[in-house]
Amino acid sequence: MSEGASTAIVCDTTAYLPDELIAEYGIRTVSLYVTLDGEQRRESEISPAEYETFYERLRRSEQGATTSQPSVGDFIEVYAPLLEQGREIVSLHLSGAISGTYESARRARQQLIDEGRGGERIHVYDSRSACGGTGLCVLAAARAAARGADAEEALAAAQRVRDELRMWFAVDTLEYLRKGGRIGAARALLGSALQIKPILTLEEEIRPVERVRTRRRAFERLVQYARERHDDGADAWVVQHIHDPDGAQ
């Protein structure tokens, strides 16, 4: 159904949407790149079957993993066939405050405009979020497009979700965020990171919300916050984890 919609939805791989949802809505993805111990790969090429090995390598690595944004050419490779089909495009991406992905998408759009290839039909959106937050925005746009919405209507659906969504998460250590250069305002917690389990949010950049003493207390606080959001009327949820399926379940 969505393959024939007049509005196509594009996102990057940091939305981490399940493959079945990507397929159901015909969402196109543009991959970021991951570098670990000098080896660079497209994030999309790291299969779930490799996660155990990948995270074991990450634990052993002194430098940690870093990511880099897709190139302008990567975006054009996805955009151009959609434009040739006469479609509009809504392209939604992780926060521009922590990645150059959004800017790469904007540059690709401008190049396609300059070349007379229909780039003005591309609407690039900075979700000011990442992971599940971006994913919820992408799904809102995709569902609107599947109902026949034009690009402006699909983008408005994503914006409404972004205005309402909140993301809280907890980490055992800030070290990987520090190594990856994504720590933002949470950098202030580094000095006491061994004594606390920080609860963080992502509002354009990563910011601290609360400090708790144990992993268990961090988990309980996240559940409590989810219940508070439910009581306030929130009705859609994403639970994501990094190598902690039991905690997520």
Side-chain angles (χ1 to χ4, degrees), residues 193-229:
L194 293 177
Q195 289 76 43
I196 63 169
K197 300 298 181 187
I199 295 174
L200 308 168
T201 190
L202 178 53
E203 295 290 339
E204 298 197 24
E205 68 174 6
I206 294 173
R207 299 179 181 276
V209 176
E210 295 182 8
R211 309 180 192 202
V212 295
R213 291 292 181 183
T214 66
R215 191 176 192 271
R216 181 64 190 177
R217 177 54 188 148
F219 176 84
E220 292 170 348
R221 184 66 183 97
L222 293 180
V223 173
Q224 178 186 358
Y225 183 63
R227 288 175 174 150
E228 291 169 1
R229 290 286 292 154

Side-chain angles (χ1 to χ4, degrees), residues 169 171 173-183 186 200 206:
F169 63 102
V171 295
T173 173
L174 293 169
E175 186 64 13
Y176 296 108
L177 289 173
R178 183 189 67 79
K179 287 180 177 179
R182 300 292 191 267
I183 196 166
L200 308 168
I206 294 173

Side-chain angles (χ1 to χ4, degrees), residues 56-113:
E56 181 57 36
R57 288 179 59 198
L58 180 59
R59 280 189 289 269
R60 296 197 308 263
S61 174
E62 293 184 3
Q63 292 78 33
T66 58
T67 61
S68 54
Q69 70 261 24
S71 68
V72 170
D74 290 334
F75 276 103
I76 290 177
E77 187 176 333
V78 173
Y79 290 159
L82 298 171
L83 294 174
E84 289 167 4
Q85 296 168 15
R87 303 174 74 180
E88 291 187 289
I89 299 171
V90 176
S91 193
L92 306 103
H93 302 289
L94 80 159
S95 174
I98 62 174
S99 171
T101 301
Y102 168 71
E103 185 58 32
S104 284
R106 281 172 46 88
R107 289 170 57 201
R109 175 185 184 273
Q110 188 59 52
Q111 182 170 323
L112 289 166
I113 291 173

Side-chain angles (χ1 to χ4, degrees), residues 125-148:
Y125 180 62
D126 181 350
S127 73
R128 310 184 312 282
S129 187
C131 305
T134 303
L136 285 171
C137 295
V138 172
L139 285 177
R143 286 169 176 156
R147 294 192 298 268

